[in-house]
Amino acid sequence: MPRKNTDLPSTQEPRPGPSAIAKDFSRSRALQARAHELIPGGSHTYAKGDDQFPEQAPGFIARGKGCHVWDLDGNEFIEYGMGLRAVTLGHAYEPVAEAAYKQMQLGLNFSRPASLELELAEAFLDVVDSADMVKFAKNGSDVTTAAVKLARAYTGRDLVAICGDQPFFSVDDWFIGSTELDAGIPQAISELTLKFRYNDVAGLRELLDRYPERVACVLLEAEASTPPLAGYLQALKDLCEERGVVLIFDEIITGFRWHLGGAQKLHRVVPHLSTFGKAMGNGFAISALAGRRDIMRLGGIDHDQARVFLLSTTHGAENHALAAALEVIRLYRELGIVEFLWKQGERLQAGIRDCIKRHGIAGHFEVLGRPCNLIYQTRDARGQPSQPFRTLFLQELIREGIIAPSFVVSFSHSDAEIDRTIEAVDHALAVYARALQDGVQNHLLGRPVKPVNRKYN
Ligand SMILES: Cc1ncc(COP(=O)(O)O)c(C=O)c1O
């Protein structure tokens, strides 16, 4: 019998682990229709939406501990991705929760800054030590948009060049206007954003030649699922400096994951501006824009140039999120978190690759990316990217007690959890291999998932 949420284990005891039993999602099902009535999309983040998961999936999560979560029906899962990669230490990770709670008791938000703002600025700039100044905010979109605005003000130019091979930079119009999902965004805004290809310096040079002295910034993740070719990032920086363009690295994912100081630190190329978020607070809402003093200071009150309205919001520096981030930095240093993420990712990657080999499905299922940030790709019998096969894989993992929209590990994914996941992947890929032979529709229990970035439903 599936367990009900009345017999959830206490927060101190996340065991026993999830098992491959038929799961009852009836409590979740009862709320889903209501959620769609009240919330466009049924959830406040598209990546968590019903269209991103199979029909046989938990609809709502009640609580989490470490890398385990329990849904509304009391089903237990090991999960990956963890708050869209924000929760790098683990759910309800006590030292961070404790640091935030202590600060909450001292007050969240005053009419003058708390000295914590300076304390965290010092700690952050010690980590991202190539930057001179930093400004904190609540999410990745705001800081990345602020970097674009600052670059436009600094250069007096209007165009923005973004890496077209990378999926996401901001919820704001300058970026969303360049995607399929551009309804509600004036064409005049979309036309200001240009795209270049990753690992292609010549292509970027041609783009800059086509719009001489018009491009304010070049914006990219220093690395996403594809690593940079040798010398690429430095050549990009040299080209930007030759053309008076501001180089921005979006480190929202790579920060505190590739390296504590981000991909810029791993690849030893310092951008003019960079943005951090996600992992900074182990799930608490905090992000950062960091960079060179002569650019950042345009947002200050001590110069005689035109002022830039730089990231000034009511909740911009909530004290408990600052306290959480300070504790996260301390823990990263003390516990070697980044090294652990890479090590556990390697264990998982090797195990999954063995499963792929065992089931003879190379070319149809692949695990990609760096060990600290693994994703996977599903292809059909003809080798074409396939949402139905993604759905089948998700469905079979969920049956086994694993939620894995990606294979992004946290500090709470111990060897036991990684090994349990590899067993589950082995089962899921056995079904996948059969579906490659006799058709995915013979195995899917419902409609396939859809990409977030699509024009129509
Ligand atoms: C690379 C990258 N940049 C920026 C963002 C935006 O961050 P947020 O969702 O915190 O606004 C995201 C979010 O997924 C991201 O992956």
Side-chain angles (χ1 to χ4, degrees):
M1 281 289 287
R3 280 179 291 110
K4 294 287 178 191
N5 62 357
T6 45
D7 47 57
L8 285 178
S10 78
T11 45
Q12 275 71 41
E13 294 168 19
R15 309 262 159 203
S19 56
I21 48 172
K23 292 181 172 52
D24 173 13
F25 297 121
S26 53
R27 288 193 189 186
S28 272
R29 290 293 160 273
L31 294 190
Q32 268 168 315
R34 182 77 176 137
H36 283 273
E37 259 172 44
L38 300 189
I39 306 164
S43 98
H44 293 285
T45 309
Y46 283 128
K48 299 182 185 180
D50 288 339
D51 57 354
Q52 300 305 297
F53 289 87
E55 284 188 17
Q56 293 303 309
F60 299 89
I61 303 296
R63 71 175 189 88
K65 183 74 187 163
C67 64
H68 294 245
V69 293
W70 288 263
D71 74 3
L72 216 53
D73 290 277
N75 302 303
E76 180 183 353
F77 299 90
I78 295 170
E79 78 153 348
Y80 287 84
M82 311 277 293
L84 286 74
R85 298 177 170 86
V87 181
T88 46
L89 299 175
H91 296 299
Y93 196 77
E94 275 164 29
V96 180
E98 196 60 36
Y101 180 59
K102 260 194 196 146
Q103 187 56 47
M104 283 159 77
Q105 291 169 310
L106 299 175
L108 300 185
N109 206 337
F110 312 121
S111 45
R112 302 237 50 209
S115 56
L116 255 181
E117 295 191 25
L118 175 59
E119 208 181 322
L120 182 61
E122 281 174 340
F124 181 89
L125 290 172
D126 205 35
V127 166
V128 183
D129 55 7
S130 53
D132 303 313
M133 298 182 90
V134 62
K135 193 130 194 206
F136 299 123
K138 299 306 280 181
N139 62 59
S141 296
D142 284 354
V143 287
T144 306
T145 294
V148 167
K149 179 162 57 171
L150 204 46
R152 282 175 160 154
Y154 182 77
T155 57
R157 302 174 180 180
D158 56 358
L159 298 180
V160 172
I162 64 172
C163 180
D165 301 317
Q166 296 172 347
F168 200 80
F169 295 111
S170 174
V171 296
D172 291 320
D173 290 0
W174 64 269
F175 172 67
I176 299 295
S178 75
T179 72
E180 280 281 290
L181 252 169
D182 59 355
I185 299 170
Q187 200 177 335
I189 303 280
S190 303
E191 284 170 359
L192 296 175
T193 298
L194 313 171
K195 290 187 178 173
F196 63 89
R197 305 297 311 268
Y198 190 68
N199 271 337
D200 178 9
V201 184
L204 178 63
R205 182 174 291 111
E206 275 171 33
L207 188 72
L208 298 181
D209 285 344
R210 223 176 309 141
Y211 299 94
E213 309 214 344
R214 292 271 321 271
V215 176
C217 60
V218 159
L219 167 68
L220 74 161
E221 292 182 271
E223 180 178 340
S225 51
T226 308
L229 294 172
Y232 169 66
L233 295 172
Q234 187 57 49
L236 205 65
K237 182 171 174 181
D238 294 344
L239 177 60
C240 285
E241 294 195 336
E242 180 193 307
R243 304 299 178 91
V245 174
V246 175
L247 177 64
I248 305 169
F249 283 174
D250 176 333
E251 300 255 26
I252 304 293
I253 290 177
T254 49
F256 290 46
R257 191 171 277 285
W258 263 238
H259 186 287
L260 181 53
Q264 59 189 274
K265 204 78 175 175
L266 190 75
H267 295 302
R268 297 165 197 266
V269 175
V270 176
H272 306 128
L273 295 175
S274 53
T275 59
F276 288 71
K278 300 224 188 239
M280 277 181 72
N282 193 45
F284 280 93
I286 179 147
S287 60
L289 165 66
R292 232 169 57 183
R293 185 177 307 283
D294 60 325
I295 309 175
M296 293 287 287
R297 70 188 292 272
L298 294 180
I301 52 176
D302 55 355
H303 62 82
D304 51 14
Q305 290 163 267
R307 291 180 60 208
V308 175
F309 190 96
L310 191 64
L311 291 168
S312 173
T313 62
T314 304
H315 302 294
E318 279 177 332
N319 295 337
H320 64 288
L322 302 180
L326 260 179
E327 181 63 8
V328 167
I329 291 175
R330 192 189 70 74
L331 289 164
Y332 262 69
R333 289 218 147 110
E334 185 182 308
L335 303 176
I337 304 292
V338 169
E339 293 73 14
F340 186 87
L341 300 180
W342 281 76
K343 179 168 78 67
Q344 294 310 79
E346 275 164 21
R347 187 180 183 103
L348 183 58
Q349 184 182 43
I352 297 175
R353 288 195 170 149
D354 283 347
C355 298
I356 294 171
K357 219 185 273 169
R358 190 159 40 253
H359 296 293
I361 57 171
H364 300 286
F365 185 91
E366 263 181 289
V367 54
L368 306 170
R370 295 282 192 173
C372 62
N373 189 63
L374 295 172
I375 55 169
Y376 58 85
Q377 210 167 52
T378 52
R379 294 179 181 273
D380 63 18
R382 289 171 300 129
Q384 296 304 309
S386 167
Q387 294 292 325
F389 271 93
R390 176 175 172 82
T391 317
L392 179 64
F393 184 66
L394 284 164
Q395 169 190 295
E396 293 306 310
L397 282 187
I398 287 168
R399 197 201 294 278
E400 291 279 317
I402 311 286
I403 304 176
S406 67
F407 281 118
V408 175
V409 295
S410 76
F411 188 60
S412 292
H413 287 83
S414 70
D415 288 354
E417 275 118 354
I418 297 288
D419 294 347
R420 170 72 196 100
T421 304
I422 294 167
E423 269 175 42
V425 168
D426 195 47
H427 156 83
L429 291 185
V431 178
Y432 197 106
R434 284 203 294 281
L436 285 170
Q437 300 297 322
D438 64 3
V440 68
Q441 66 286 353
N442 289 324
H443 299 270
L444 264 190
L445 303 170
R447 46 93 194 115
V449 299
K450 295 174 179 174
V452 167
N453 186 9
R454 63 185 194 274
K455 197 163 186 74
Y456 299 104
N457 281 317

